[in-house]
Amino acid sequence: MQIVFGPILSRRFGVSLGVDLSPYTKQCNFDCVYCELEAKKPMDTQTQIIPVETILKSIQHALQTHKDIQVLTFTANGEPTLYPYLEELIVATKKILQGYPTIKTLILSNGSLFQIQKQALNHFDIVKFSLDSALTQHFKRVDKPSKTLDLTTIKQGIKEFSMQYNGELIAEVLIVAGLNDDVQSNKDTAAFLSEVNVKRIDLSTIDRPSSHRVYPISNEQLYALSALYQGLNICVVTRKEEAITITQQELNETELIALLKRRPLTHADCEILLTKASVQRVANMHALGQIQTKNIAGVVFYCVEHKK
């Protein structure tokens, strides 16, 4: 049984050690069609529970070897917020990490239990949740949730948590071909997330073998959908093995400022969407202070600060 795994290099969070709160078997209240774990009926509680002390000992042992990580990531073969002693665990973990002041704590959640676990979640430096669609029909098709879960309640829990959480709240929208890749689903999801205090949205698609016969969309489609999330910090997570054929834009300084006001861009976005001359123009404008950068949980965006 391996509770702590890694380190792994995350493109979005840096060097991370993972903490698996369900190493024995899949325990989840969703059965997402894109999950790489075996398809399994959703469950509302964990039936196999690791003692808090066992997890803490594994964390302490791993940190003795891996002192230079950037993030300690709490996850599960399933949903980590199903772990019944989550608050006790994270409070004790933060005490251990007092000896490692540069390491942040992160939890990867499906967002379904924010109302129940908000006290525990408040202790994490970074909370990342999934919302694959704000429309009930699409949500059910992609995430196959437990019948006890209601999307309206889930969204309310996310919104309420976001308003009192002081850490970095990250959302992920994973697009599945034919299920939630339509304009309306993404418009509604963007509208909801614009009301939530999220720092960043990761827009992605299937990148690993999944438990169901479902398919990814192309990188070009991801970038097309990202345009619907205007005014939000969108990180488009492209599939590395797939080439991107997008007509690159040649923009002057005024046009670049207008674009960055609508949607902050990462350096990778700039290299994909803009000509080489425009990318250099962005770098020059940043050096002159005409545009700024902000680091959101390990991803750097070019942006324009709004004058108050």
Side-chain angles (χ1 to χ4, degrees):
M1 176 184 68
Q2 186 177 18
I3 296 172
V4 178
F5 58 93
I8 61 172
L9 178 61
S10 166
R11 286 185 289 170
R12 287 166 279 173
F13 295 104
V15 182
S16 166
L17 273 179
V19 181
D20 189 346
L21 302 185
S22 180
Y24 305 107
T25 183
K26 179 179 178 179
Q27 299 183 99
C28 193
N29 53 0
F30 285 10
D31 184 28
C32 300
V33 296
Y34 54 77
C35 183
E36 63 267 27
L37 303 176
E38 63 177 335
K40 192 173 182 180
K41 183 179 178 180
M43 56 200 306
D44 295 310
T45 57
Q46 284 193 353
T47 57
Q48 298 186 49
I49 301 168
I50 314 171
V52 170
E53 192 57 40
T54 302
I55 300 172
L56 293 173
K57 286 180 179 178
S58 295
I59 291 172
Q60 288 175 311
H61 179 74
L63 289 175
Q64 290 174 2
T65 304
H66 306 290
K67 297 180 175 65
D68 298 327
I69 64 165
Q70 294 165 291
V71 181
L72 189 65
T73 303
F74 289 76
T75 182
N77 282 315
E79 173 51 35
T81 61
L82 285 178
Y83 185 68
Y85 310 117
L86 186 61
E87 184 174 14
E88 179 186 348
L89 174 63
I90 184 58
V91 169
T93 299
K94 294 299 280 281
K95 289 180 180 178
I96 293 171
L97 291 179
Q98 288 176 356
Y100 307 86
T102 62
I103 298 176
K104 291 186 175 183
T105 53
L106 160 68
I107 187 167
L108 305 179
S109 172
N110 62 23
S112 62
L113 300 179
F114 275 25
Q115 285 185 325
I116 296 171
Q117 289 281 25
K118 60 185 176 182
Q119 291 299 117
L121 294 171
N122 273 320
H123 294 284
F124 287 88
D125 300 305
I126 309 167
V127 172
K128 181 175 179 181
F129 69 94
S130 300
L131 184 71
D132 299 320
S133 180
L135 296 179
T136 296
Q137 182 181 0
H138 294 68
F139 165 69
K140 288 184 175 180
R141 285 191 302 189
V142 175
D143 296 324
K144 295 184 178 296
S146 163
K147 292 180 180 179
T148 65
L149 297 173
D150 170 70
L151 181 58
T152 300
T153 304
I154 290 173
K155 287 160 61 177
Q156 186 62 30
I158 291 170
K159 184 179 290 188
E160 289 177 0
F161 174 73
S162 77
M163 299 308 167
Q164 51 87 56
Y165 177 57
N166 293 320
E168 294 183 291
L169 185 61
I170 313 295
E172 176 155 31
V173 182
L174 193 145
I175 306 298
V176 182
L179 297 185
N180 64 338
D181 58 347
D182 58 291
V183 169
Q184 192 58 55
S185 175
N186 285 274
K187 275 188 174 181
D188 279 59
T189 303
F192 171 74
L193 291 175
S194 68
E195 300 174 356
V196 176
N197 190 26
V198 290
K199 302 293 186 183
R200 188 182 91 213
I201 300 169
D202 293 342
L203 188 66
S204 63
T205 190
I206 299 170
D207 201 26
R208 300 175 185 173
S210 58
S211 56
H212 295 70
R213 189 174 294 179
V214 289
Y215 303 95
I217 64 170
S218 68
N219 289 330
E220 288 82 1
Q221 288 172 294
L222 272 181
Y223 269 101
L225 290 176
S226 73
L228 301 174
Y229 294 77
Q230 288 197 11
L232 298 167
N233 297 315
I234 292 285
C235 176
V236 181
V237 186
T238 54
R239 302 175 73 225
K240 289 182 281 188
E241 75 281 3
E242 181 183 315
I244 304 176
T245 55
I246 293 176
T247 301
Q248 294 180 318
Q249 301 176 71
E250 174 67 35
L251 301 180
N252 61 33
E253 291 186 1
T254 301
E255 291 168 329
L256 284 168
I257 288 174
L259 172 61
L260 293 174
K261 282 182 177 178
R262 291 196 308 272
R263 183 195 149 192
L265 299 176
T266 66
H267 182 72
D269 288 336
C270 291
E271 291 189 328
I272 291 168
L273 297 174
L274 306 177
T275 63
K276 289 183 178 179
S278 295
V279 172
Q280 184 59 52
R281 194 167 291 122
V282 168
N284 294 342
M285 292 169 68
H286 178 250
L288 293 171
Q290 295 171 284
I291 60 177
Q292 295 75 43
T293 57
K294 54 184 174 183
N295 187 318
I296 302 177
V299 176
V300 177
F301 290 85
Y302 289 109
C303 61
V304 177
E305 289 186 355
H306 296 282
K307 294 181 180 179
K308 298 182 180 179

